[in-house]
Amino acid sequence: MDTTKKNGFLGYLKGALTAVSATLIMILLFAVIVRFFNISDSWIFPINQVIKVISLILGIWIMLKDKQKGFAKGLILGLVYFVLSFAIFSILQGKFSVSIKNLYDLILTTLMGGLIGIILVNIKK
């Protein structure tokens, strides 16, 4: 494997692991908050989406060192993030269940990654 491909793969891996790690940490913190404060169930889905967006921003920010091809790289990282987080949370729940909701989540997470990639590539230092 040449250096460019190796660095590209490592960038995606680093970005995906950053995003998934951030998600796990924020979900854990949110679970503690839910446990000790009487938070309505109606808040769980929106907060989970915010956690997902923040995690993707962190992962894509880490990955986009060269500031090129933000849409494509964001799409790929969004897809990798979805697959990793789906696998991890399925293992934690003790079951793998695939539904149409998962398909929607896959599409939205991937597209969200592309959009975040576009935004981050165009942000000036």
Side-chain angles (χ1 to χ4, degrees):
M1 186 182 292
D2 69 18
T3 306
T4 306
K5 287 183 182 179
K6 184 178 178 183
N7 288 339
F9 173 76
L10 290 176
Y12 284 110
L13 183 61
K14 191 175 184 181
L17 291 176
T18 299
V20 170
S21 298
T23 298
L24 290 170
I25 291 167
M26 286 187 278
I27 291 289
L28 181 62
L29 291 173
F30 183 55
V32 169
I33 291 169
V34 167
R35 172 76 173 102
F36 290 108
F37 299 98
N38 193 16
I39 304 226
S40 168
D41 287 347
S42 64
W43 282 94
I44 293 175
F45 180 76
I47 296 296
N48 282 339
Q49 296 309 306
V50 169
I51 289 170
K52 188 182 300 183
V53 169
I54 292 169
S55 298
L56 279 170
I57 289 169
L58 291 172
I60 294 169
W61 184 267
I62 294 293
M63 182 198 57
L64 284 177
K65 295 294 182 188
D66 61 358
K67 299 286 187 187
Q68 294 179 15
K69 301 179 185 173
F71 180 70
K73 290 179 177 180
L75 280 175
I76 293 169
L77 190 72
L79 176 64
V80 171
Y81 169 80
F82 173 82
V83 170
L84 282 175
S85 61
F86 177 77
I88 289 169
F89 286 106
S90 293
I91 290 168
L92 291 173
Q93 291 176 348
K95 65 178 178 176
F96 282 87
S97 64
V98 180
S99 68
I100 192 72
K101 188 175 176 182
N102 297 120
L103 178 61
Y104 292 145
D105 196 28
L106 167 67
I107 292 167
L108 290 174
T109 303
T110 303
L111 290 175
M112 192 178 348
L115 179 62
I116 291 168
I118 290 170
I119 293 168
L120 291 179
V121 153
N122 290 296
I123 290 178
K124 304 275 186 200
K125 285 188 175 181

